[in-house]
Amino acid sequence: MSLLLPTNLQQCPSYSLSPPSPVIGPRRRCLRLVTTCISSVQSSVANGSAPPAVMVERDLIRLGLPSKGRMAADAVELLKDCQLLVKQVNPRQYVAQIPQLPNTQVWFQRPKDIVRKLLSGDLDLGIVGLDTLSEYGQENEDLITVHEALNFGDCHLSIAIPNYGIFENINSLKELAQMPLWSDERPLRVATGFTYLGPKFMKENGIKHVTFSTADGALEAAPAMGIADAILDLVSSGTTLKENNLKEIEGGVVLESQAALVASRRALTQRKGALNTVHEILERLEAHLKADGQFTVVANMRGNSAEEVAELVMNQPSLAGLEGPTISPVYCTKGGKVFVDYYAIVICVPKKALYSSVKQLRAIGGSGVLVSPLTYIFDEDTPRWGQLLRNLRL
């Protein structure tokens, strides 16, 4: 009888291909083998270290995306905005393709499993929240953040306490830690799903008398039920906390989080095509995210020269554009002769300054103002690409 083991179990020191002992039957030997290896893996996970990744040869680069919820929809939409269309034949399937990246395969996974499979070598790239990366990656050196700000999934991990009773006048982490109530016999009880970041944060802040209970949902009810004194959870708007009579405290934010593109260092340096794929994804992301919220404004203006028009434009505070206005002559014909009567001005303006910029253009003689949203801004070089190469020592 043959026994197929997962990759990490195959690395177990007790695994052997030697024939079974005549005293121990094959079935009992296999059971003992699996039990021993699983115990070894569980021990390594309990100690905060993932099993070592094994580089399995395959032709396709694997990209992990969240499988459910708002993060899943936003990740697919962002890639679509970058002209990377995720094609899923069946919505029940966990695998998809990106036609623009023929060497890349998409796998839909739970966010925490994306991090775990990056560490195990089953995925090469992934999009997850920085909170999930920090909690399940636990600062593992094989995980490298390619782009840390994908502009969705914004939230922060924060401690919250009741706004009533003994906590009514407690407004900071320092005040919470100095409450005389806490001791070895009666520690501060914190309910959280972040059992790595929570204890780490408390230790870094010198809070000793504290215990953590594991919970995944409806944490806001824990203090009212008497299960916990405080909670450590993700906060977006803070509305849910207020509706459950909870409050955040000064110094209680563990980390700021949003969606990020993450990769396996080992995959980028050893898997054929992985680095080139990351380069293309990164260029598309950078170009789109830089253009997000930017508008192209075009207007005609009379003037004796391009320099004269440029001086008029650049004297206005919100008309400088990204690197200065582009000014070019507009050629007209009259009586069979070609001459310059107008100059066209092209500038890039952020959405929040759009109307004031249009007003300033019109005030200095601009007319025929055209406005259109920008889709991409490709720089001469992608800053994060250079940073990635330095991190990889390439």
Side-chain angles (χ1 to χ4, degrees), residues 65-329:
L65 295 183
S67 55
K68 294 180 181 179
R70 182 67 180 271
M71 281 279 286
D74 287 348
V76 171
E77 188 64 26
L78 174 62
L79 292 174
K80 181 181 177 181
D81 290 339
C82 297
Q83 300 299 307
L84 296 173
L85 308 180
V86 178
K87 296 289 186 180
Q88 195 175 11
V89 177
N90 185 332
R92 293 181 180 273
Q93 290 181 334
Y94 287 94
V95 64
Q97 309 295 329
I98 299 178
Q100 295 79 14
L101 299 173
N103 69 330
T104 302
Q105 193 176 53
V106 173
W107 286 85
F108 292 100
Q109 301 284 300
R110 295 184 302 176
K112 61 183 178 182
D113 288 336
I114 291 176
V115 178
R116 287 168 174 164
K117 289 177 181 179
L118 284 169
L119 289 172
S120 67
D122 297 309
L123 290 175
D124 305 310
L125 313 170
I127 292 179
V128 294
L130 291 172
D131 58 291
T132 304
L133 174 65
S134 300
E135 173 68 18
Y136 295 96
Q138 300 184 9
E139 302 175 89
N140 191 293
E141 292 184 355
D142 188 55
L143 294 175
I144 187 166
T145 303
V146 179
H147 197 303
E148 76 291 346
L150 298 183
N151 287 2
F152 69 90
D154 296 74
C155 60
H156 58 275
L157 182 61
S158 182
I159 293 173
I161 60 175
N163 56 16
Y164 54 86
I166 61 173
F167 300 104
E168 184 175 2
N169 296 318
I170 302 299
N171 296 301
S172 70
L173 183 65
K174 183 178 180 181
E175 292 173 350
L176 179 64
Q178 292 176 346
M179 291 180 69
L181 175 64
W182 317 130
S183 65
D184 289 337
E185 293 73 26
R186 175 59 174 96
L188 171 68
R189 300 168 301 160
V190 181
T192 185
F194 294 85
T195 54
Y196 170 74
L197 291 175
K200 180 174 180 287
F201 178 76
M202 291 298 190
K203 182 178 180 180
E204 290 172 351
N205 284 275
I207 302 175
K208 298 178 181 178
H209 304 303
V210 58
T211 60
F212 290 85
S213 58
T214 304
D216 290 324
L219 289 179
E220 292 82 5
M225 295 177 69
I227 300 172
D229 303 302
I231 67 171
L232 175 63
D233 201 9
L234 294 174
V235 180
S236 295
S237 65
T239 302
T240 305
L241 291 180
K242 292 177 183 177
E243 290 176 347
N244 287 275
N245 299 313
L246 298 173
K247 63 182 179 181
E248 294 184 78
I249 54 178
E250 181 185 346
V253 175
V254 176
L255 63 80
E256 299 287 343
S257 179
Q258 63 174 300
L261 175 64
V262 188
S264 160
R265 182 185 300 269
R266 184 175 300 197
L268 294 184
T269 55
Q270 297 182 22
R271 192 173 303 288
K272 182 180 179 181
L275 198 58
N276 289 336
T277 297
V278 168
H279 189 196
E280 180 170 347
I281 294 174
L282 187 56
E283 283 210 313
R284 289 172 180 260
L285 285 172
E286 292 260 90
H288 169 67
L289 293 172
K290 186 169 184 177
D292 191 31
Q294 296 282 340
F295 287 80
T296 300
V297 178
V298 181
N300 289 337
M301 184 180 296
R302 292 185 184 273
N304 296 319
S305 67
E307 289 75 14
E308 178 187 349
V309 172
E311 187 174 350
L312 275 173
V313 172
M314 296 191 75
N315 281 335
Q316 307 303 312
S318 65
L319 300 183
L322 293 176
E323 296 180 1
T326 299
I327 298 173
S328 55

Side-chain angles (χ1 to χ4, degrees), residues 341-364:
D341 195 23
Y342 289 92
Y343 287 87
I345 305 158
V346 182
I347 57 174
C348 293
V349 176
K351 184 177 182 178
K352 62 183 180 181
L354 180 59
Y355 185 62
S356 62
S357 299
V358 171
K359 284 177 64 178
Q360 287 180 11
L361 266 177
R362 293 165 70 187
I364 61 174

